[in-house]
Protein backbone atom coordinates (compact mmCIF):
# COMPACT_ATOMS: atom_id res chain seq x y z
CA UNK A 1 0.00 0.00 0.00
CA UNK A 2 1.37 3.38 -1.00
CA UNK A 3 1.49 6.02 1.69
CA UNK A 4 -1.05 8.82 1.73
CA UNK A 5 1.69 11.32 0.94
CA UNK A 6 2.86 9.35 -2.10
CA UNK A 7 -0.64 8.92 -3.46
CA UNK A 8 -1.56 12.55 -2.90
CA UNK A 9 1.61 13.86 -4.55
CA UNK A 10 0.82 11.77 -7.63
CA UNK A 11 -2.77 12.99 -7.85
CA UNK A 12 -2.86 16.64 -6.74
CA UNK A 13 -0.78 19.70 -7.60
CA UNK A 14 -2.73 22.77 -6.44
CA UNK A 15 -1.29 26.13 -7.40
CA UNK A 16 -2.80 27.76 -4.31
CA UNK A 17 -3.03 26.98 -0.63
CA UNK A 18 -6.40 25.36 -1.15
CA UNK A 19 -8.41 25.18 2.08
CA UNK A 20 -11.89 25.26 0.60
CA UNK A 21 -12.93 21.62 0.26
CA UNK A 22 -16.14 22.35 2.16
CA UNK A 23 -17.14 24.27 -0.97
CA UNK A 24 -15.56 22.09 -3.67
CA UNK A 25 -12.93 19.39 -3.51
CA UNK A 26 -9.98 19.27 -5.90
CA UNK A 27 -10.06 16.68 -8.67
CA UNK A 28 -7.36 13.98 -8.73
CA UNK A 29 -5.27 13.61 -11.87
CA UNK A 30 -6.76 10.18 -12.51
CA UNK A 31 -10.24 11.69 -12.55
CA UNK A 32 -9.29 14.49 -14.92
CA UNK A 33 -7.64 11.97 -17.25
CA UNK A 34 -10.70 9.69 -17.23
CA UNK A 35 -13.08 12.54 -17.99
CA UNK A 36 -10.82 13.82 -20.76
CA UNK A 37 -10.76 10.37 -22.35
CA UNK A 38 -14.52 10.07 -22.12
CA UNK A 39 -15.07 13.48 -23.72
CA UNK A 40 -12.57 12.75 -26.48
CA UNK A 41 -14.13 9.37 -27.17
CA UNK A 42 -17.53 11.02 -27.50
CA UNK A 43 -16.11 13.65 -29.84
CA UNK A 44 -14.73 10.86 -32.01
CA UNK A 45 -18.03 9.01 -32.13
CA UNK A 46 -16.77 6.08 -30.07
CA UNK A 47 -18.29 6.73 -26.63
CA UNK A 48 -17.10 4.69 -23.70
CA UNK A 49 -19.54 2.74 -21.50
CA UNK A 50 -20.23 5.46 -18.98
CA UNK A 51 -23.18 3.55 -17.52
CA UNK A 52 -20.57 1.07 -16.31
CA UNK A 53 -18.89 4.04 -14.62
CA UNK A 54 -22.15 4.81 -12.81
CA UNK A 55 -22.31 1.25 -11.48
CA UNK A 56 -18.65 1.33 -10.42
CA UNK A 57 -19.19 4.63 -8.60
CA UNK A 58 -22.32 3.29 -6.92
CA UNK A 59 -20.46 0.20 -5.72
CA UNK A 60 -17.53 2.26 -4.47
CA UNK A 61 -19.73 4.63 -2.48
CA UNK A 62 -21.61 1.66 -1.05
CA UNK A 63 -18.36 0.17 0.24
CA UNK A 64 -17.31 3.51 1.72
CA UNK A 65 -20.51 3.76 3.78
CA UNK A 66 -20.81 0.04 4.54
CA UNK A 67 -23.95 -1.09 2.69
CA UNK A 68 -24.69 -3.28 -0.34
CA UNK A 69 -24.78 -1.46 -3.67
CA UNK A 70 -28.44 -2.45 -4.11
CA UNK A 71 -29.32 0.05 -1.38
CA UNK A 72 -27.65 3.00 -3.16
CA UNK A 73 -29.37 5.28 -5.67
CA UNK A 74 -27.23 7.39 -7.99
CA UNK A 75 -28.24 10.93 -8.84
CA UNK A 76 -26.99 14.49 -8.99
CA UNK A 77 -28.51 16.43 -6.09
CA UNK A 78 -29.14 16.04 -2.37
CA UNK A 79 -32.08 18.45 -2.64
CA UNK A 80 -33.81 16.10 -5.09
CA UNK A 81 -33.44 13.20 -2.66
CA UNK A 82 -34.60 15.33 0.27
CA UNK A 83 -37.65 16.20 -1.81
CA UNK A 84 -38.27 12.51 -2.49
CA UNK A 85 -38.25 11.79 1.23
CA UNK A 86 -40.40 14.83 1.99
CA UNK A 87 -42.97 13.64 -0.55
CA UNK A 88 -43.22 10.27 1.21
CA UNK A 89 -44.42 11.72 4.51
CA UNK A 90 -48.09 11.79 5.43
CA UNK A 91 -49.95 15.05 5.90
CA UNK A 92 -49.25 16.59 9.29
CA UNK A 93 -46.06 14.58 9.90
CA UNK A 94 -43.51 16.22 12.18
CA UNK A 95 -39.96 16.66 10.87
CA UNK A 96 -37.24 17.63 13.34
CA UNK A 97 -34.32 19.65 11.90
CA UNK A 98 -31.31 21.61 13.13
CA UNK A 99 -31.09 25.39 13.11
CA UNK A 100 -29.25 26.87 10.10
CA UNK A 101 -28.63 23.49 8.51
CA UNK A 102 -27.81 23.46 4.81
CA UNK A 103 -30.90 24.26 2.79
CA UNK A 104 -30.71 21.16 0.56
CA UNK A 105 -31.21 19.01 3.64
CA UNK A 106 -34.22 20.88 5.03
CA UNK A 107 -35.94 23.19 2.55
CA UNK A 108 -38.03 20.53 0.75
CA UNK A 109 -39.75 19.81 4.07
CA UNK A 110 -40.66 23.49 4.42
CA UNK A 111 -42.03 23.61 0.88
CA UNK A 112 -44.65 21.07 1.91
CA UNK A 113 -46.87 23.36 3.94
CA UNK A 114 -48.83 20.44 5.36
CA UNK A 115 -45.81 19.15 7.28
CA UNK A 116 -44.89 20.29 10.78
CA UNK A 117 -41.21 21.25 10.67
CA UNK A 118 -39.67 21.84 14.06
CA UNK A 119 -36.21 23.41 14.26
CA UNK A 120 -33.90 23.25 17.28
CA UNK A 121 -30.21 23.92 17.97
CA UNK A 122 -27.93 21.17 16.64
CA UNK A 123 -26.87 20.20 20.16
CA UNK A 124 -30.52 19.71 21.16
CA UNK A 125 -31.66 17.48 18.30
CA UNK A 126 -31.44 14.16 20.15
CA UNK A 127 -33.23 15.40 23.27
CA UNK A 128 -35.91 17.06 21.14
CA UNK A 129 -37.16 13.87 19.48
CA UNK A 130 -40.59 13.13 20.93
CA UNK A 131 -43.61 10.88 20.42
CA UNK A 132 -45.12 11.84 17.08
CA UNK A 133 -41.84 12.84 15.46
CA UNK A 134 -41.90 11.12 12.07
CA UNK A 135 -38.44 12.03 10.78
CA UNK A 136 -35.21 13.54 12.07
CA UNK A 137 -33.28 15.26 9.26
CA UNK A 138 -29.81 16.62 9.98
CA UNK A 139 -26.39 17.05 8.41
CA UNK A 140 -23.60 14.94 9.91
CA UNK A 141 -21.30 17.97 9.82
CA UNK A 142 -22.58 21.51 9.54
CA UNK A 143 -21.61 23.36 6.38
CA UNK A 144 -21.49 26.78 8.05
CA UNK A 145 -19.13 25.99 10.90
CA UNK A 146 -18.12 22.32 10.89
CA UNK A 147 -19.94 21.23 14.05
CA UNK A 148 -20.44 17.47 14.05
CA UNK A 149 -23.83 16.10 15.06
CA UNK A 150 -24.07 13.52 17.83
CA UNK A 151 -25.35 10.92 15.40
CA UNK A 152 -25.39 7.95 17.82
CA UNK A 153 -27.55 9.92 20.27
CA UNK A 154 -29.85 11.07 17.48
CA UNK A 155 -30.16 7.51 16.19
CA UNK A 156 -31.05 6.10 19.61
CA UNK A 157 -33.56 8.86 20.34
CA UNK A 158 -35.22 8.34 16.97
CA UNK A 159 -35.45 4.59 17.51
CA UNK A 160 -36.93 5.08 20.97
CA UNK A 161 -39.76 7.17 19.52
CA UNK A 162 -40.28 5.30 16.26
CA UNK A 163 -38.93 8.10 14.07
CA UNK A 164 -36.95 7.62 10.88
CA UNK A 165 -33.55 9.27 10.38
CA UNK A 166 -32.27 11.16 7.34
CA UNK A 167 -28.60 12.18 7.47
CA UNK A 168 -26.90 14.42 4.90
CA UNK A 169 -23.23 13.39 4.91
CA UNK A 170 -22.10 15.79 2.18
CA UNK A 171 -19.69 17.53 4.59
CA UNK A 172 -18.55 14.26 6.17
CA UNK A 173 -18.28 11.43 3.64
CA UNK A 174 -14.64 11.11 2.67
CA UNK A 175 -13.08 12.20 5.97
CA UNK A 176 -15.53 10.99 8.64
CA UNK A 177 -16.31 7.26 8.79
CA UNK A 178 -19.98 6.74 7.97
CA UNK A 179 -21.98 3.62 8.84
CA UNK A 180 -25.06 4.09 6.70
CA UNK A 181 -26.61 0.92 8.04
CA UNK A 182 -27.34 2.74 11.30
CA UNK A 183 -29.80 5.18 9.71
CA UNK A 184 -32.85 5.01 7.48
CA UNK A 185 -31.67 7.36 4.75
CA UNK A 186 -28.24 8.77 3.93
CA UNK A 187 -27.62 11.32 1.17
CA UNK A 188 -24.41 12.90 -0.06
CA UNK A 189 -22.98 14.90 -2.90
CA UNK A 190 -19.56 13.74 -4.05
CA UNK A 191 -17.95 17.01 -5.17
CA UNK A 192 -16.62 17.96 -1.76
CA UNK A 193 -14.66 15.52 0.43
CA UNK A 194 -15.11 12.69 -2.08
CA UNK A 195 -13.12 14.83 -4.58
CA UNK A 196 -15.47 14.05 -7.48
CA UNK A 197 -16.91 16.24 -10.24
CA UNK A 198 -20.16 18.08 -9.66
CA UNK A 199 -23.22 16.19 -10.82
CA UNK A 200 -22.75 13.11 -8.62
CA UNK A 201 -24.85 12.37 -5.54
CA UNK A 202 -26.04 9.26 -3.74
CA UNK A 203 -28.99 8.18 -1.61
CA UNK A 204 -28.89 5.14 0.68
CA UNK A 205 -32.27 3.59 1.52
CA UNK A 206 -33.27 0.64 3.71
CA UNK A 207 -33.52 -2.88 2.32
CA UNK A 208 -37.31 -2.45 2.06
CA UNK A 209 -36.75 0.81 0.10
CA UNK A 210 -38.03 2.90 3.00
CA UNK A 211 -41.57 3.46 1.82
CA UNK A 212 -40.43 5.88 -0.88
CA UNK A 213 -42.36 6.31 -4.11
CA UNK A 214 -40.13 6.75 -7.22
CA UNK A 215 -41.85 9.97 -8.25
CA UNK A 216 -39.25 11.01 -10.82
CA UNK A 217 -38.56 7.53 -12.19
CA UNK A 218 -37.50 7.53 -15.83
CA UNK A 219 -36.11 4.83 -18.03
CA UNK A 220 -32.93 4.43 -15.95
CA UNK A 221 -35.14 3.39 -13.02
CA UNK A 222 -36.38 0.31 -14.85
CA UNK A 223 -35.26 -3.16 -13.88
CA UNK A 224 -34.21 -3.45 -17.53
CA UNK A 225 -33.41 0.17 -18.48
CA UNK A 226 -32.90 -0.33 -22.20
CA UNK A 227 -36.29 -2.04 -22.39
CA UNK A 228 -37.90 0.86 -20.48
CA UNK A 229 -37.33 3.72 -22.91
CA UNK A 230 -40.87 4.09 -24.26
CA UNK A 231 -44.16 4.49 -22.49
CA UNK A 232 -44.65 3.67 -18.81
CA UNK A 233 -41.86 1.69 -17.19
CA UNK A 234 -43.34 -1.78 -16.86
CA UNK A 235 -40.99 -3.03 -14.16
CA UNK A 236 -39.17 -0.71 -11.79
CA UNK A 237 -35.77 -1.74 -10.51
CA UNK A 238 -36.06 -4.03 -7.50
CA UNK A 239 -33.24 -2.11 -5.82
CA UNK A 240 -32.56 1.51 -4.89
CA UNK A 241 -31.77 2.06 -8.55
CA UNK A 242 -35.49 2.83 -8.96
CA UNK A 243 -34.58 6.18 -7.37
CA UNK A 244 -31.79 6.95 -9.85
CA UNK A 245 -31.79 10.24 -11.68
CA UNK A 246 -30.69 10.17 -15.31
CA UNK A 247 -26.94 10.37 -14.66
CA UNK A 248 -24.46 13.09 -15.57
CA UNK A 249 -22.35 10.54 -17.40
CA UNK A 250 -19.13 12.50 -17.83
CA UNK A 251 -19.17 13.31 -14.11
CA UNK A 252 -19.59 9.65 -13.23
CA UNK A 253 -16.80 8.71 -15.67
CA UNK A 254 -14.53 10.69 -13.37
CA UNK A 255 -16.21 9.99 -10.03
CA UNK A 256 -15.52 6.26 -10.11
CA UNK A 257 -11.80 7.06 -10.03
CA UNK A 258 -12.11 9.68 -7.28
CA UNK A 259 -14.04 7.28 -5.09
CA UNK A 260 -11.52 4.53 -5.79
CA UNK A 261 -8.78 6.86 -4.56
CA UNK A 262 -10.59 7.50 -1.28
CA UNK A 263 -11.04 3.73 -0.89
CA UNK A 264 -7.36 3.15 -1.63
CA UNK A 265 -6.21 5.65 0.98
CA UNK A 266 -8.89 4.71 3.53
CA UNK A 267 -11.29 7.09 5.27
CA UNK A 268 -9.65 6.51 8.65
CA UNK A 269 -6.27 7.63 7.26
CA UNK A 270 -7.85 10.69 5.69
CA UNK A 271 -9.59 11.51 8.95
CA UNK A 272 -6.37 11.33 10.96
CA UNK A 273 -4.62 13.56 8.44
CA UNK A 274 -7.41 16.12 8.19
CA UNK A 275 -8.04 16.41 11.92
CA UNK A 276 -4.34 16.84 12.67
CA UNK A 277 -4.28 19.85 10.36
CA UNK A 278 -7.52 21.27 11.75
CA UNK A 279 -6.20 20.94 15.30
CA UNK A 280 -2.95 22.62 14.26
CA UNK A 281 -4.97 25.55 12.94
CA UNK A 282 -7.09 25.75 16.10
CA UNK A 283 -3.94 25.80 18.24
CA UNK A 284 -2.44 28.52 16.06
CA UNK A 285 -5.57 30.62 16.37
CA UNK A 286 -5.25 30.35 20.13
CA UNK A 287 -1.77 31.83 19.94
CA UNK A 288 -3.26 34.73 17.97
CA UNK A 289 -5.92 35.26 20.63
CA UNK A 290 -8.72 34.17 18.29
CA UNK A 291 -11.34 31.55 19.14
CA UNK A 292 -13.04 29.43 16.44
CA UNK A 293 -16.56 28.06 16.67
CA UNK A 294 -16.27 25.02 18.97
CA UNK A 295 -16.34 21.99 16.64
CA UNK A 296 -14.18 19.26 18.16
CA UNK A 297 -13.40 16.36 15.87
CA UNK A 298 -14.18 18.31 12.71
CA UNK A 299 -12.05 18.91 9.61
CA UNK A 300 -13.83 22.26 9.20
CA UNK A 301 -12.77 25.25 11.30
CA UNK A 302 -14.93 28.38 11.30
CA UNK A 303 -13.66 31.64 12.79
CA UNK A 304 -16.27 34.26 13.74
CA UNK A 305 -15.76 37.80 12.51
CA UNK A 306 -12.97 37.04 10.02
CA UNK A 307 -15.04 36.26 6.95
CA UNK A 308 -14.30 39.72 5.55
CA UNK A 309 -10.65 38.67 5.09
CA UNK A 310 -11.52 36.04 2.48
CA UNK A 311 -10.65 38.29 -0.48
CA UNK A 312 -7.38 39.36 1.15
CA UNK A 313 -6.44 35.72 1.69
CA UNK A 314 -7.37 34.82 -1.89
CA UNK A 315 -5.11 37.58 -3.15
CA UNK A 316 -2.34 36.00 -1.08
CA UNK A 317 -2.95 32.64 -2.76
CA UNK A 318 -4.99 31.10 0.06
CA UNK A 319 -8.48 29.85 -0.76
CA UNK A 320 -11.01 29.74 2.11
CA UNK A 321 -14.72 30.62 2.41
CA UNK A 322 -16.72 33.47 3.90
CA UNK A 323 -19.81 31.90 5.45
CA UNK A 324 -22.21 34.04 7.48
CA UNK A 325 -19.35 36.37 8.40
CA UNK A 326 -17.13 33.50 9.48
CA UNK A 327 -13.85 32.52 7.89
CA UNK A 328 -14.21 28.83 7.07
CA UNK A 329 -11.12 26.71 6.49
CA UNK A 330 -11.51 23.08 5.45
CA UNK A 331 -8.55 20.71 5.67
CA UNK A 332 -8.28 17.67 3.40
CA UNK A 333 -5.88 15.04 2.17
CA UNK A 334 -3.97 17.36 -0.22
CA UNK A 335 -3.21 19.90 2.52
CA UNK A 336 -0.02 20.05 4.57
CA UNK A 337 1.20 21.61 7.83
CA UNK A 338 2.87 24.27 5.69
CA UNK A 339 -0.57 25.25 4.37
CA UNK A 340 -1.82 25.74 7.93
CA UNK A 341 1.20 27.81 8.86
CA UNK A 342 0.85 29.97 5.77
CA UNK A 343 -2.78 30.72 6.64
CA UNK A 344 -1.86 31.61 10.21
CA UNK A 345 1.01 33.78 9.00
CA UNK A 346 -1.25 35.87 6.75
CA UNK A 347 -3.95 36.13 9.42
CA UNK A 348 -1.39 37.37 11.93
CA UNK A 349 -0.47 40.20 9.59
Amino acid sequence: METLETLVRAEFAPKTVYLNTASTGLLPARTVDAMSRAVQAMAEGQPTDMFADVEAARASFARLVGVPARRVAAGASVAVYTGLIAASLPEGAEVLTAEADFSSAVNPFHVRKDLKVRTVPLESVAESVRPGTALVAVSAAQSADGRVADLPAIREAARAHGARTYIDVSQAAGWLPVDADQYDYIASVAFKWLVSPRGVAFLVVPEDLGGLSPLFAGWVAGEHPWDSCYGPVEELAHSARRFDESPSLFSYAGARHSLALIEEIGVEAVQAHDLALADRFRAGLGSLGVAPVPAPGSAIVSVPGLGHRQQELSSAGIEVSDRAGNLRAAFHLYNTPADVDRLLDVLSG
Side-chain angles (χ1 to χ4, degrees):
M1 172 74 72
E2 295 180 88
T3 65
L4 184 149
E5 182 180 359
T6 302
L7 278 170
V8 168
R9 188 179 296 123
E11 296 289 348
F12 300 98
K15 295 183 179 180
T16 63
V17 175
Y18 190 81
L19 302 171
N20 203 19
T21 298
S23 293
T24 305
L26 299 182
L27 295 180
R30 64 177 71 182
T31 300
V32 175
D33 289 344
M35 295 179 73
S36 297
R37 290 194 303 272
V39 170
Q40 187 62 38
M42 182 64 77
E44 295 170 354
Q46 297 177 313
T48 58
D49 185 0
M50 288 181 281
F51 285 98
D53 296 326
V54 175
E55 295 312 312
R58 187 196 315 272
S60 188
F61 182 79
R63 289 189 294 269
L64 284 167
V65 300
V67 297
R70 65 179 178 273
R71 289 180 53 191
V72 178
S77 165
V78 163
V80 167
Y81 284 133
T82 305
L84 181 69
I85 294 167
S88 75
L89 296 171
E91 181 179 351
E94 179 181 280
V95 181
L96 181 64
T97 66
E99 288 179 353
D101 209 336
F102 198 76
S103 62
S104 295
V106 297
N107 192 61
F109 301 113
H110 289 270
V111 170
R112 269 199 63 181
K113 301 303 183 183
D114 59 339
L115 297 179
K116 299 175 183 177
V117 183
R118 189 158 56 96
T119 302
V120 300
L122 179 67
E123 294 78 10
S124 301
V125 170
E127 67 190 52
S128 299
V129 184
R130 62 190 183 187
T133 301
L135 180 76
V136 183
V138 67
S139 294
Q142 292 293 296
S143 172
D145 53 31
R147 287 175 299 148
V148 177
D150 187 347
L151 293 181
I154 291 170
R155 178 190 67 226
E156 293 309 312
R159 286 178 177 173
H161 292 287
R164 288 188 183 269
T165 46
Y166 172 47
I167 312 299
D168 179 359
V169 298
S170 296
Q171 293 290 7
W175 71 265
L176 184 68
V178 175
D179 183 359
D181 204 36
Q182 298 299 309
Y183 308 95
D184 293 287
Y185 312 107
I186 289 276
S188 183
V189 297
F191 68 85
K192 299 179 185 290
W193 307 88
L194 294 172
V195 294
S196 296
R198 282 181 177 265
V200 175
F202 300 100
L203 173 71
V204 180
V205 301
E207 286 283 2
D208 65 0
L209 305 181
L212 302 179
S213 178
L215 297 177
F216 54 78
W219 71 280
V220 296
E223 177 66 12
H224 306 287
W226 294 107
D227 296 330
S228 303
C229 294
Y230 306 107
V233 176
E234 293 186 3
E235 184 180 9
L236 287 167
H238 303 161
S239 67
R241 194 167 53 74
R242 64 172 53 194
F243 308 120
D244 276 17
E245 296 181 75
S246 187
S248 302
L249 290 176
F250 291 116
S251 294
Y252 274 91
R256 68 175 297 178
H257 299 281
S258 294
L259 295 165
L261 175 62
I262 299 296
E263 282 196 89
E264 189 174 350
I265 295 171
V267 174
E268 290 78 8
V270 176
Q271 180 185 36
H273 175 84
D274 292 6
L275 294 189
L277 296 177
D279 288 344
R280 184 185 185 95
F281 182 50
R282 291 186 182 96
L285 288 171
S287 68
L288 298 179
V290 177
V293 173
S298 180
I300 302 170
V301 182
S302 186
V303 189
L306 292 186
H308 67 281
R309 300 191 63 179
Q310 184 265 330
Q311 284 295 329
E312 170 198 346
L313 290 163
S314 184
S315 297
I318 303 170
E319 296 302 328
V320 295
S321 299
D322 176 5
R323 290 292 183 272
N326 299 339
L327 183 150
R328 186 185 67 181
F331 302 93
H332 204 21
L333 54 91
Y334 32 70
N335 297 129
T336 66
D339 292 342
V340 178
D341 296 344
R342 173 63 178 153
L343 174 57
L344 289 167
D345 182 58
V346 175
L347 287 176
S348 71

